[in-house]
Amino acid sequence: MQIAYRAKDIIEAHIVAGLLKANGIETYVGGLYLQGAMGEIGAAGFSNVHVEDEDLYPARQVITEYEASSCVTTAVESGDDKPDSYARWVLLVMAVLVLIWLNF
């Protein structure tokens, strides 16, 4: 099996896997159990869609069409940086609390 698609999260991986299955390509989604390792902050880079070696080229064609469709936008294009923004605020609050605690 080879990686046909590296998704940003497990939901997108399952969407792509469903699209490939609808086109007659058997898939395996890896990284399901690694998503919770980061808690509320979304883990990236762990979700992959795998296909058989002989299905790699047709799968990549379907994926290219999926990515080219107008209904698909990435987090950068849509301006949605909430998980990243959330992480920054949590780290800032923790740093302030540590500084306050160290001063007492």
Side-chain angles (χ1 to χ4, degrees):
M1 295 196 103
Q2 293 193 24
I3 297 174
Y5 187 72
R6 295 182 191 275
K8 65 180 178 181
D9 56 28
I10 199 69
I11 296 170
E12 183 183 27
H14 280 287
I15 290 171
V16 171
L19 180 65
L20 292 173
K21 286 180 183 178
N23 284 286
I25 300 171
E26 287 300 316
T27 63
Y28 169 77
V29 177
L32 176 66
Y33 297 110
L34 297 174
Q35 286 296 125
M38 299 290 288
E40 294 277 332
I41 302 170
F46 297 120
S47 307
N48 299 316
V49 179
H50 302 264
V51 297
E52 294 294 333
D53 296 340
E54 61 270 5
D55 292 331
L56 184 61
Y57 181 71
R60 291 221 172 131
Q61 286 180 325
V62 172
I63 291 168
T64 301
E65 292 172 11
Y66 163 75
E67 289 176 335
S69 69
S70 62
C71 64
V72 177
T73 58
T74 61
V76 175
E77 292 172 357
S78 65
D80 183 23
D81 62 345
K82 290 181 182 174
D84 189 40
S85 176
Y86 173 76
R88 288 182 189 148
W89 279 107
V90 168
L91 291 174
L92 178 65
V93 169
M94 288 175 53
V96 169
L97 291 175
V98 167
L99 289 174
I100 291 172
W101 183 71
L102 289 175
N103 285 332
F104 286 114

